[in-house]
Amino acid sequence: MDARFDHLSNPVGAKVMKYVVSASKVVWDSTLPATTQHLVEIRASQINGCGYCVDMHTKDAAHAGESSVRLNLIATWREATVFTEAERAALELTEEGTRIADAAGGVSDEVWANAAKHYDDDQLAALLSLIALMNTWNRLNVITQRPAGDYVPGQWG
């Protein structure tokens, strides 16, 4: 299976990718814990059905030392006991922020307040940006049908 479109081989697509990668780097370099970033990347990708991103981010998380137990339980985090309260708040914000069309009111005040209880303003800015960026990456890959399975940890830097 080949992707429908290669952004990097198109001048406009390559320019867009450059800016999305640049924005992503700001998040990666933030004080938002890397473990939380991996959880958010994976959960948004699961919700959006982005096989490429699920493949990439689970492999990167495992490479960074994340346990297989936690990786296997991300989709069912509400019933799992292996996540911290802060991680659970980030996962809940990720779900509501990703499923905007499913929730008439968007992100609830309760979910927002819970996330704000666990993360400072810089971390919240990174978390919100990561959720938005993952939804961007997911949509680019799902729309172009980018195949999953061949990613190697660290492949993109």
Side-chain angles (χ1 to χ4, degrees):
M1 178 171 151
D2 292 322
R4 291 176 171 159
F5 185 80
D6 179 10
H7 269 78
L8 296 177
S9 67
N10 174 275
V12 172
K15 192 171 185 177
V16 168
M17 296 302 272
K18 173 184 166 184
Y19 289 112
V20 176
V21 167
S22 180
S24 296
K25 184 167 179 5
V26 173
V27 173
W28 298 328
D29 292 343
S30 75
T31 60
L32 183 65
T35 53
T36 302
Q37 291 185 42
H38 289 304
L39 297 175
V40 167
E41 291 165 344
I42 294 164
R43 187 64 190 125
S45 300
Q46 290 172 334
I47 292 166
N48 289 321
C50 183
Y52 185 83
C53 288
V54 170
D55 179 46
M56 174 173 31
H57 296 298
T58 55
K59 287 176 180 175
D60 282 345
H63 185 74
E66 187 61 80
S67 75
S68 60
V69 170
R70 283 171 44 97
L71 289 174
N72 291 331
L73 290 172
I74 293 171
T76 58
W77 65 269
R78 291 180 195 289
E79 295 82 23
T81 60
V82 297
F83 302 107
T84 67
E85 288 302 312
E87 290 169 339
R88 296 170 72 74
L91 287 165
E92 189 169 36
L93 184 62
T94 300
E95 288 193 2
E96 286 199 7
T98 298
R99 292 183 164 140
I100 291 173
D102 299 340
V107 174
S108 71
D109 290 340
E110 179 181 275
V111 168
W112 176 259
N114 192 31
K117 181 172 71 175
H118 294 285
Y119 299 100
D120 65 29
D121 283 351
D122 286 346
Q123 292 170 324
L124 275 174
L127 179 58
L128 295 172
S129 299
L130 179 58
I131 294 166
L133 286 163
M134 284 313 304
N135 278 278
T136 298
W137 285 116
N138 293 161
R139 279 152 178 76
L140 289 169
N141 289 324
V142 169
I143 291 167
T144 61
Q145 295 183 344
R146 187 161 190 179
D150 295 333
Y151 178 78
V152 176
Q155 177 176 330
W156 297 111

